[in-house]
Amino acid sequence: MNVILILCDTLRRDHCGPYHGGRPLSQVTGDGQPDWVVPTPNIDRLAERGTVFENAYCGSHPCMPARRDIYTGRLEFLWRGWGPLEDDDLDLPRQVSGPPNQSLSRASVKVSYLVTDHFHLWEQGAGNYHMGYSGFEFIRGMEADAYLTDPVDFPLPSARYRNQKVERHFRNVELTRRRPDGSLDESKWFSAQTFSKAAEWIDRNHTRKDFFLHIDSFPPHEPWDPPERFVKMFDPRGYDVNEYFPSAPYRPVDESGLTADQVRHVQALYAASVVHVDECLGMLLDALDRHDLWKNTLVIFTSDHGTFNGARGRLGKMQTHLFDPIAHIPLIVAHPECGHGERRSQLVQLVDLYPTILRACGAPIPEGIHGVDLAEAIADPSAKTRERALYGVFGQGISMTDGRWVLHQAPKPENEPLYWYSYHQAKFLRYDLGEYEPEGRRAVRHRPYGDPTWLSDRSVDPNEEVNLAGSHPDQLRRMQRQLAEELDRLGAPPEHKARLGLGESE
């Protein structure tokens, strides 16, 4: 069958209708969230045709590590951090469609195609994620994309963004969105271009058999600048504020320098961005309707991770353990034949998309991956997936959940031994790498966040606000033993157990 993968960067699950069920955010997750409802009729529309996974988790964090999980079916963060695909990676598009430069005229050739506005796929430190596809469409201008240099006067939300990558973004959009009469063209917003180009590709290619279409939407990742009509849904002032923050600082709210009103406006910008993405998603769903592709197409909708956005008293992401607002992600899978309008409670992760997509496209699944094909779980609510989900950031703590209990195991203060397993440098997220050793690895000196080991019981504390590590020592030891077992099962570098202090108190 065909497969369409829709990945929306930094999408909180509580902002998606199938997860909030029409309730205000403050009643869904609470924890610093506003009391407004975020309407997402097109995500709802997809859920009606699909299966909503309640317990989907990220793996490697943040953006590009999560994508390598998807592209390879293996957790990246246990071996290295943010970087490009490796030469020996069996990356997803090539596994579907073979060498990207082969003739597309033969009937037996399967086609893979990428439509994206995600600049990180091209940026130094990661920029080869587009190379395996039969073709791709890159929507230029998002964030720090070195796109247009034309002399032009353009508004910045604040002087604080001068000489930052956000400045490049606002130069680009001034030159691409502004009509000759000075008005703004909504069709030139990045989400509108991404989903309209994807819909056009379907119009031209819907007769192909077993195609793989990957739509990688950078919004609702910051910088947030949705059309003002969406902002006014959550803040009547729109952009008429003293200063607006298209990218909130990644730090605790009380250290951000933002007032309570500014924080609320940041949350309005994020919610508006989600609603805008949802409206644009409708163009793609209309194309599927137009060509009756639901009968032979597997449609997957998800995100790489969430964001704090006021939860746990923080803005942005990173900074601390991968608590629920970051790690617990939306995942909706619309299968042509089963699971329509249903929900699943099994533990699933982004690495599971790799075997699921390959199987659906009729391609072989390589050995040695960490992912699980989700076809059985879609068809059968009792089908097994995995007992535990593991997730984290390279060089930081490691998190694990069994669906109820969550362990965030902090490293020892010295955070050693730690090694980087790659011949690629750490270029985007910086790490202090030593010299190459005979095994091809490099010692890493990296400061951990400094948070304590944390134990949560999501059955009574879904927002992970209470640390039970001290009051539930038996449960803590059980989860730590299981984490050590999971690291062994995955074939992770053995030094992680020493770095995390696992087994030292046994």
Side-chain angles (χ1 to χ4, degrees):
M1 68 181 78
N2 309 316
V3 178
I4 298 176
L5 170 61
I6 308 160
L7 181 67
C8 297
D9 202 302
T10 316
L11 177 60
R12 283 180 60 118
R13 68 193 294 276
D14 64 351
H15 282 56
C16 301
Y19 294 96
H20 66 58
R23 294 172 294 162
L25 297 176
S26 58
Q27 295 180 20
V28 182
T29 50
D31 191 20
Q33 295 306 296
D35 57 358
W36 54 54
V37 176
V38 181
T40 57
N42 287 300
I43 300 177
D44 297 349
R45 175 181 165 190
L46 180 60
E48 290 173 359
R49 287 186 173 273
T51 304
V52 176
F53 284 87
E54 301 278 9
N55 286 306
Y57 284 83
C58 70
S60 304
H61 182 72
C63 303
M64 295 314 299
R67 280 160 181 78
R68 189 160 178 247
D69 284 8
I70 295 171
Y71 276 62
T72 66
R74 291 179 55 83
L75 293 169
E76 175 185 76
F77 80 96
L78 297 170
W79 283 268
R80 64 159 220 199
W82 184 301
L85 293 170
E86 302 280 352
D87 292 341
D88 57 354
D89 279 343
L90 302 177
D91 59 289
L92 180 58
R94 286 182 226 263
Q95 299 310 299
V96 171
S97 54
N101 293 323
Q102 64 181 310
S103 171
L104 303 181
S105 299
R106 291 182 288 118
S108 61
V109 171
K110 297 179 181 179
V111 168
S112 60
Y113 200 79
L114 170 69
V115 181
T116 185
D117 58 0
H118 193 147
F119 171 58
H120 291 327
L121 276 68
W122 274 261
E123 192 169 16
Q124 184 182 27
N128 66 352
Y129 283 77
H130 63 292
M131 291 183 176
Y133 294 91
S134 307
F136 59 84
E137 178 94 30
F138 178 27
I139 313 301
R140 299 294 305 274
M142 172 61 83
E143 203 192 32
D145 181 10
Y147 182 32
L148 298 173
T149 60
D150 309 20
V152 65
D153 291 328
F154 59 96
L156 273 174
S158 166
R160 72 177 70 210
Y161 295 106
R162 188 70 64 188
N163 298 320
Q164 296 186 21
K165 61 184 180 181
V166 171
E167 178 184 341
R168 172 78 70 169
H169 173 91
F170 282 96
R171 172 183 290 277
N172 290 336
V173 301
E174 179 68 19
L175 290 164
T176 55
R177 294 178 184 169
R178 189 78 63 183
R179 296 189 181 99
D181 64 2
S183 62
L184 293 171
D185 183 352
E186 274 200 21
S187 71
K188 299 302 183 182
W189 257 258
F190 295 109
S191 295
Q193 291 188 72
T194 298
F195 285 100
S196 66
K197 291 294 185 183
E200 291 169 9
W201 187 88
I202 289 175
D203 287 340
R204 298 191 305 270
N205 290 269
H206 65 275
T207 59
R208 290 192 176 276
K209 183 178 180 182
D210 300 334
F211 66 72
F212 171 46
L213 173 62
H214 180 190
I215 302 157
D216 193 331
S217 168
F218 199 47
H221 191 295
E222 65 272 10
W224 306 302
D225 62 345
E228 190 171 35
R229 63 186 175 93
F230 295 98
V231 182
K232 287 184 174 181
M233 294 173 63
F234 306 99
D235 186 337
R237 299 172 297 178
Y239 289 112
D240 187 18
V241 293
N242 291 332
E243 183 178 18
Y244 111 79
F245 295 83
S247 180
Y250 284 20
R251 57 176 62 103
V253 172
D254 59 10
E255 298 176 12
S256 68
L258 274 61
T259 66
D261 179 69
Q262 289 171 328
V263 170
R264 185 55 60 94
H265 190 67
V266 162
Q267 293 173 320
L269 290 168
Y270 177 78
S273 296
V274 172
V275 176
H276 184 217
V277 170
D278 178 83
E279 179 175 282
C280 297
L281 171 65
M283 291 186 280
L284 177 76
L285 303 187
D286 289 346
L288 294 174
D289 288 345
R290 195 157 52 242
H291 301 290
D292 194 22
L293 285 180
W294 298 103
K295 64 184 180 183
N296 62 347
T297 304
L298 183 73
V299 182
I300 302 170
F301 178 89
T302 190
S303 181
D304 49 357
H305 53 72
T307 179
F308 285 116
N309 202 39
R312 305 187 64 82
R314 293 180 181 271
L315 296 170
K317 41 192 177 283
M318 308 297 282
Q319 314 169 53
T320 184
H321 293 312
L322 297 188
F323 289 108
D324 198 80
I326 301 290
H328 202 178
I329 59 174
L331 176 62
I332 303 168
V333 183
H335 190 281
E337 299 174 356
C338 55
H340 301 166
E342 298 180 5
R343 306 179 85 90
R344 296 289 183 266
S345 60
Q346 293 98 323
L347 275 176
V348 297
Q349 293 195 262
L350 288 176
V351 289
D352 299 333
L353 301 186
Y354 182 84
T356 303
I357 291 170
L358 290 181
R359 179 69 56 80
C361 289
I365 299 173
E367 296 182 357
I369 65 170
H370 301 148
V372 177
D373 181 5
L374 298 180
E376 291 187 12
I378 295 168
D380 181 1
S382 63
K384 294 187 179 298
T385 53
R386 55 169 38 81
E387 295 182 4
R388 298 176 283 268
L390 207 69
Y391 45 99
V393 177
F394 176 80
Q396 297 294 340
I398 296 181
S399 302
M400 185 188 74
T401 184
D402 60 9
R404 173 184 173 182
W405 292 94
V406 185
L407 170 67
H408 304 284
Q409 181 68 30
K412 296 186 295 186
E414 63 273 19
N415 201 26
E416 295 178 356
L418 177 64
Y419 295 97
W420 178 276
Y421 292 86
S422 175
Y423 286 100
H424 292 282
Q425 300 289 327
K427 293 180 179 178
F428 191 88
L429 298 179
R430 298 292 181 177
Y431 294 89
D432 183 7
L433 305 183
E435 297 297 321
Y436 285 111
E437 299 185 4
E439 301 87 348
R441 68 186 187 183
R442 305 177 74 177
V444 182
R445 295 183 61 85
H446 189 63
R447 182 178 178 180
Y449 293 138
D451 294 326
T453 291
W454 190 286
L455 180 70
S456 301
D457 181 356
R458 291 195 64 255
S459 67
V460 296
D461 180 23
N463 296 324
E464 300 191 71
E465 296 175 353
V466 180
N467 188 358
L468 302 176
S471 59
H472 290 63
D474 292 343
Q475 184 63 37
L476 175 64
R477 285 192 291 271
R478 183 184 74 85
M479 292 291 287
Q480 288 174 330
R481 285 194 298 270
Q482 290 186 359
L483 173 56
E485 293 169 0
E486 192 69 10
L487 290 169
D488 289 340
R489 187 187 71 82
L490 294 170
E495 63 267 14
H496 282 301
K497 288 188 287 187
R499 180 178 71 90
L500 299 172
L502 293 174
E504 292 186 351
S505 61
E506 293 294 328

